[in-house]
Amino acid sequence: MTINVLIVEDEPAIQELIAYTCRTSGFEVARASNVGEARKILEFKLPDLILLDWMLPDLSGLEWLRMLRRNEATRALPVIMLTARGQEDDKVAGLEAGADDYVVKPFSPRELVARIRAAIRRNSGEQELGDKIVCGNLTIDFDRFEAKVGEELLKLSVVEFKILSLFAKHPGRVYSRQQVIDKVWGYGACIDERTVDVHMLRLRKHLSGTSFEDFIETVRGLGYRAVEPFGSLK
Ligand code: CA
């Protein structure tokens, strides 16, 4: 898998350092020095992730991030904010605007690469070998591609498995049907939103009769979410 990263950074030395770091990690790199340039690049190709500086000459990175999140094509695109600011308020503002992660300059190249990989992995649903999700007595094992409640193996399809993993990874977070499509089938997949409901229905059938039968709830007008905390489950 080749990871395409778009770097939006106006300080040439920092942009160069980030580009170098990304290229030596095997990523493909596109570079922009302001939001205008970044927009032009997006018209041709969506990257797998955007590294977005907060302070840019034409529009703040935060403002642009909000716009990206309102756009159908880019609302689930992973974005890591880069900033010299380290204040807690800024971090909260970045995350509330929809950033997947936040890196404060100066950062180590290794840390940046690790954050990029982690954001892509979270977003694509791909897991490292040995990864497991354990929530209460629900266990999702990515080596075996198995989901169990207690000792009971759930006989899930790949899509159902991916949907369950997505929600178990981020309990409490609401996903719209379109976001589920982006994360389970991939960006640009031509899937009707009702298809999500059909798979969700099947997944719930698999969970019914277990202590996780109410695990994923419908959020009216928005989508679905996994309940939290797990401790409250029977
Ligand atoms: Ca800047």
Side-chain angles (χ1 to χ4, degrees):
M1 183 170 83
T2 305
I3 295 172
N4 291 280
V5 177
L6 170 59
I7 301 164
V8 190
E9 167 65 66
D10 60 319
E11 287 166 62
I14 297 177
Q15 190 197 85
E16 183 56 40
L17 173 68
I18 297 170
Y20 175 79
T21 300
C22 287
R23 281 197 305 264
T24 53
S25 300
F27 305 156
E28 287 192 1
V29 171
R31 297 152 72 147
S33 300
N34 53 55
V35 170
E37 285 178 22
R39 280 180 166 146
K40 283 187 189 138
I41 291 169
L42 287 195
E43 284 172 19
F44 289 97
K45 189 179 181 187
L46 278 185
D48 296 309
L49 179 139
I50 298 177
L51 290 173
L52 180 59
D53 187 26
W54 186 302
M55 302 292 277
L56 291 162
D58 51 349
L59 184 68
S60 93
L62 196 70
E63 279 302 306
W64 191 46
L65 174 59
R66 290 202 181 99
M67 292 176 188
L68 289 172
R69 290 301 178 240
R70 286 197 293 264
N71 184 322
E72 187 84 4
T74 54
R75 68 178 171 195
L77 188 62
V79 174
I80 297 179
M81 292 295 294
L82 301 171
T83 178
R85 307 174 179 203
Q87 303 297 317
E88 196 62 23
D89 284 354
D90 294 335
K91 185 170 179 173
V92 170
L95 296 174
E96 280 181 350
D100 293 78
D101 202 354
Y102 188 98
V103 177
V104 178
K105 293 185 266 189
F107 43 82
S108 82
R110 271 182 68 182
E111 182 194 356
L112 182 65
V113 168
R115 300 273 191 118
I116 291 171
R117 290 192 195 282
I120 299 271
R121 197 162 61 235
R122 280 197 301 273
N123 193 264
S124 68
E126 284 190 27
Q127 301 292 315
E128 300 266 301
L129 283 182
D131 271 2
K132 260 189 193 182
I133 296 173
V134 179
C135 337
N137 60 350
L138 171 68
T139 309
I140 300 175
D141 182 328
F142 292 91
D143 282 356
R144 294 166 170 270
F145 230 70
E146 253 177 28
K148 282 181 177 178
V149 176
E151 286 306 305
E152 189 184 341
L153 188 63
L154 303 172
K155 295 193 177 81
L156 305 178
S157 70
V158 172
V159 167
E160 292 153 6
F161 181 88
K162 285 184 171 180
I163 293 174
L164 180 61
S165 306
L166 174 67
F167 283 90
K169 257 184 274 182
H170 303 290
R173 177 166 167 180
V174 177
Y175 286 95
S176 69
R177 288 165 179 82
Q178 186 59 48
Q179 285 173 322
V180 173
I181 291 169
D182 290 340
K183 291 183 187 287
V184 171
W185 282 271
Y187 296 119
C190 212
I191 301 287
D192 193 287
E193 294 196 354
R194 279 167 301 182
T195 305
V196 175
D197 297 331
V198 171
H199 286 280
M200 197 57 86
L201 194 68
R202 290 187 191 147
L203 174 58
R204 283 172 167 166
K205 272 188 188 158
H206 287 294
L207 293 170
S208 91
T210 76
S211 53
F212 277 73
E213 68 182 346
D214 299 321
F215 182 49
I216 300 175
E217 61 185 17
T218 304
V219 183
R220 271 185 77 113
L222 290 175
Y224 296 97
R225 111 180 119 205
V227 294
E228 64 171 349
F230 299 113
S232 69
L233 290 166
K234 286 171 275 181

